[in-house]
Amino acid sequence: MKMSIKELAKLANVSVTTVSLVLNDKPSRISETKKKEIKELAKLHDYQPNFSARNLVTKTSKTIGLLMPDIENLFFSALAKNVEDELRQNGYSLLLVNSDDMYKNDISLIKNLVNRGVDGLLLTIANDAIKHKAQYETLLEDIKTPYVMVDRTLGNPKHPQVYFDNQLGGYLATKYLIDQGHQKIACLISKDKSLNGYYRYKGYQKALKMAHIDLNEQWVFDGDYRFQSGYHMADRLVSQQCDALFAGNDLMAYGAIKRLKELGKKVPEDIEVVGYDNLEFSKMLGLNLPSVEQNVKALGKQSVALLMDLMKNQAINRTIVLEPTFKKD
Ligand code: RIB
């Protein structure tokens, strides 16, 4: 049976607070002899600290909550791994929650993390958050827990945030296709349901305009960053005789490529496809998918560093915009 902090305190004939201060090496007026006795008893009985007891005294859990929209997407699982590496170096544990890319889950999960006593929050909010800004603004106003918005934001500089320049990413991807000689370039993006998607679309628009290529709205397709979006729109690429596709992330690019091959089309010979996120998956599968890279190591590092600063001084408020790069092999 696991020994509780209360039983250990009784055994050592001291209070729970004393045990917690001693085992957490907090400053106290307890004698060295008594400290040694408490630590020996804890070791003898294999006492394992219970975080809720630890919170009672230290008021910290040494845990950071990480909200993510889709941990099946390698972009987010890679980001979570890099965040955890950074947190571990700062002496913190990670509590990861997944929203299935739905704002309603975001709101309840954020409240849940705060109620569990995390010391800070890293928030990658759902795509549809942008349609429910008021709910987020109210919630983020109310919580006292320091937070950083990561990768996805509400477009409001009052929130501490770290993300990539999505318009530059969309521009780089589309310019690459133009430079390859393509004129009928389709775009698969969630421009109305995602702020990142909207800015990637703006980059697509900018590249076409700078090359004096008319934008044909019929070649702009709605996607949700998932494989099926790409798979189910690919037939229209063929029927509308597009010669290239900018997909707003690699999963949608994979879906489009799979369907194009089922339709007997060669990629890139018949239709060239570029993606976004430059997932390791492409290399593992030997798939030469040119893609916009968002360095998740840098994103994780900068996000955790900003949160650590915020936890020391909540007056800090920084927006950090990182630059994506285009990788073609
Ligand atoms: O693949 C999921 C996409 O949503 C990524 O490009 C990331 O930027 C997130 O916003």
Side-chain angles (χ1 to χ4, degrees):
M1 170 83 163
K2 234 176 86 165
M3 174 173 270
S4 72
I5 191 165
K6 210 179 273 182
E7 288 159 333
L8 181 57
K10 194 167 177 215
L11 211 53
N13 196 24
V14 295
S15 71
V16 165
T17 304
T18 299
V19 170
S20 192
L21 288 170
V22 167
L23 295 186
N24 288 294
D25 294 318
K26 292 292 176 189
S28 69
R29 289 196 297 274
I30 302 152
S31 71
E32 289 310 314
T33 313
K34 181 53 88 175
K35 282 181 187 176
K36 189 166 178 286
E37 180 195 345
I38 292 169
K39 287 186 176 180
E40 281 171 357
L41 280 169
K43 193 171 177 204
L44 179 66
H45 294 279
D46 189 25
Y47 168 71
Q48 297 298 325
N50 169 311
F51 277 107
S52 48
R54 176 187 174 127
N55 287 2
L56 283 176
V57 180
T58 61
K59 298 286 178 287
T60 65
S61 61
K62 301 300 277 182
T63 304
I64 299 297
L66 173 61
L67 168 71
M68 293 212 128
D70 178 8
I71 51 176
E72 287 180 326
N73 181 332
L74 269 179
F75 173 81
F76 294 114
S77 38
L79 176 57
K81 188 224 174 297
N82 283 286
V83 163
E84 184 155 39
D85 290 347
E86 290 299 319
L87 289 176
R88 190 178 292 120
Q89 287 175 41
N90 286 275
Y92 284 84
S93 302
L94 176 70
L95 188 49
L96 170 64
V97 291
N98 183 58
S99 73
D100 274 338
D101 228 341
M102 288 187 276
Y103 97 91
K104 278 185 179 163
N105 292 340
D106 274 359
I107 300 297
S108 58
L109 288 168
I110 291 169
K111 287 175 182 170
N112 184 300
L113 288 169
V114 171
N115 294 340
R116 285 169 179 266
V118 296
D119 295 336
L121 290 164
L122 293 168
L123 305 175
T124 304
I125 56 179
N127 266 325
D128 59 354
I130 201 63
K131 300 278 191 196
H132 306 276
K133 278 179 83 170
Q135 287 95 321
Y136 283 88
E137 302 286 7
T138 306
L139 175 62
L140 294 173
E141 279 292 319
D142 291 348
I143 62 171
K144 299 291 171 272
T145 308
Y147 66 87
V148 173
M149 306 195 91
V150 180
D151 167 59
R152 292 177 178 178
T153 75
L154 291 169
N156 183 340
K158 79 175 182 182
H159 302 299
Q161 51 202 305
V162 185
Y163 61 92
F164 280 91
D165 182 339
N166 288 289
Q167 180 162 333
L168 174 60
Y171 172 80
L172 292 173
T174 309
K175 184 164 186 316
Y176 167 78
L177 291 170
I178 293 167
D179 292 348
Q180 296 293 101
H182 299 297
Q183 296 273 317
K184 298 180 179 177
I185 302 172
C187 176
L188 173 59
I189 203 89
S190 54
K191 68 181 173 70
D192 302 322
K193 297 194 295 285
S194 146
L195 202 58
N196 283 7
Y198 171 75
Y199 282 107
R200 292 176 195 175
Y201 169 73
K202 296 299 283 181
Y204 163 78
Q205 268 186 330
K206 180 181 172 187
L208 292 178
K209 188 170 180 197
M210 288 179 72
H212 309 294
I213 298 174
D214 291 337
L215 191 159
N216 179 342
E217 281 298 340
Q218 280 193 323
W219 296 341
V220 179
F221 300 97
D222 185 40
D224 63 0
Y225 288 133
R226 292 176 193 268
F227 178 90
Q228 293 304 327
S229 283
Y231 184 86
H232 291 302
M233 61 74 68
D235 292 59
R236 283 175 287 166
L237 286 177
V238 177
S239 59
Q240 296 191 30
Q241 297 163 335
C242 297
D243 57 14
L245 169 66
F246 161 40
N249 81 336
D250 284 358
L251 294 184
M252 294 194 290
Y254 296 156
I257 290 167
K258 177 174 166 64
R259 182 58 186 152
L260 286 170
K261 289 185 175 174
E262 288 174 355
L263 294 169
K265 295 298 174 187
K266 291 194 188 71
V267 177
E269 294 79 358
D270 297 331
I271 297 183
E272 181 151 17
V273 179
V274 299
Y276 210 109
D277 294 338
N278 197 35
L279 297 181
E280 275 303 301
F281 227 32
S282 303
K283 289 184 194 65
M284 291 175 195
L285 296 173
L287 188 62
N288 177 24
L289 175 64
S291 184
V292 178
E293 181 163 283
Q294 303 186 99
N295 185 315
V296 285
K297 196 171 177 61
L299 182 58
K301 193 174 186 65
Q302 298 258 16
S303 303
V304 169
L306 178 51
L307 183 61
M308 292 298 123
D309 287 349
L310 271 162
M311 289 178 357
K312 294 183 193 109
N313 174 4
Q314 288 207 42
I316 294 171
N317 176 7
R318 284 200 290 271
T319 288
I320 300 170
V321 184
L322 303 173
E323 281 210 355
T325 51
F326 188 75
K327 305 285 186 186
K328 52 180 181 289
D329 44 28

